[in-house]
Amino acid sequence: QVQLKESGGGNVQAGDSLRLSCAAPDNTFTSEAASWFRRVPGKEREFVAGISSDGVKTHYSEFAKGRFTISRDNAKNTMALQMNSLKPEDTAVYSCGAVILTESDWPAGVEDYYNMDYWGKGTPVTVSS
């Protein structure tokens, strides 16, 4: 079963930055749109950011705009999430997902965690005040 692998989480102070990475096992990832999601215990999982298969198009949740940047390197089958100006409310487990998406499904298709074809297990991020 295909599974993505996240890394880069950790414990930081408010205002700090973190860069999360998502690695795919093979180059089928290059034909898929991909997203970052996060989940706080006891709360619904929420969409963070998504990127098209070619990396040209990006889509962000309101809380991520201006602070987070999603990118991908298809030569390495990886995706990243640069998170700046972190806040305590950004504390969550961050996970990535990938999906084969048609043009007409953008951007709605990257916002739904259960629309993904496969996911990773997540990496925890804790932001202290």
Side-chain angles (χ1 to χ4, degrees):
Q1 183 177 359
V2 178
Q3 192 165 56
L4 303 173
K5 176 67 175 176
E6 302 92 342
S7 61
N11 300 322
V12 297
Q13 297 292 314
D16 285 350
S17 298
L18 270 179
R19 185 177 180 85
L20 306 183
S21 293
C22 173
D26 56 46
N27 62 7
T28 56
F29 184 67
T30 63
S31 62
E32 296 169 316
S35 299
W36 285 98
F37 302 89
R38 69 183 188 183
R39 187 169 189 177
V40 176
K43 293 187 177 181
E44 291 289 321
R45 183 179 285 106
E46 58 183 350
F47 167 76
V48 179
I51 190 166
S52 58
S53 58
D54 59 6
V56 171
K57 294 183 290 188
T58 58
H59 179 53
Y60 295 92
S61 62
E62 284 302 315
F63 67 79
K65 288 180 181 178
R67 295 192 300 130
F68 296 0
T69 302
I70 189 171
S71 61
R72 68 190 298 163
D73 185 344
N74 282 346
K76 297 181 180 179
N77 299 326
T78 60
M79 176 177 67
L81 184 69
Q82 177 67 41
M83 304 189 295
N84 299 329
S85 303
L86 283 163
K87 305 174 182 179
E89 51 264 44
D90 293 318
T91 295
V93 175
Y94 287 73
S95 59
C96 57
V99 62
I100 294 176
L101 205 61
T102 61
E103 189 70 25
S104 61
D105 289 332
W106 178 271
V110 295
E111 294 179 346
D112 185 354
Y113 179 81
Y114 295 103
N115 191 49
M116 300 291 114
D117 293 328
Y118 50 95
W119 312 262
K121 292 183 178 180
T123 184
V125 172
T126 302
V127 185
S128 302
S129 58

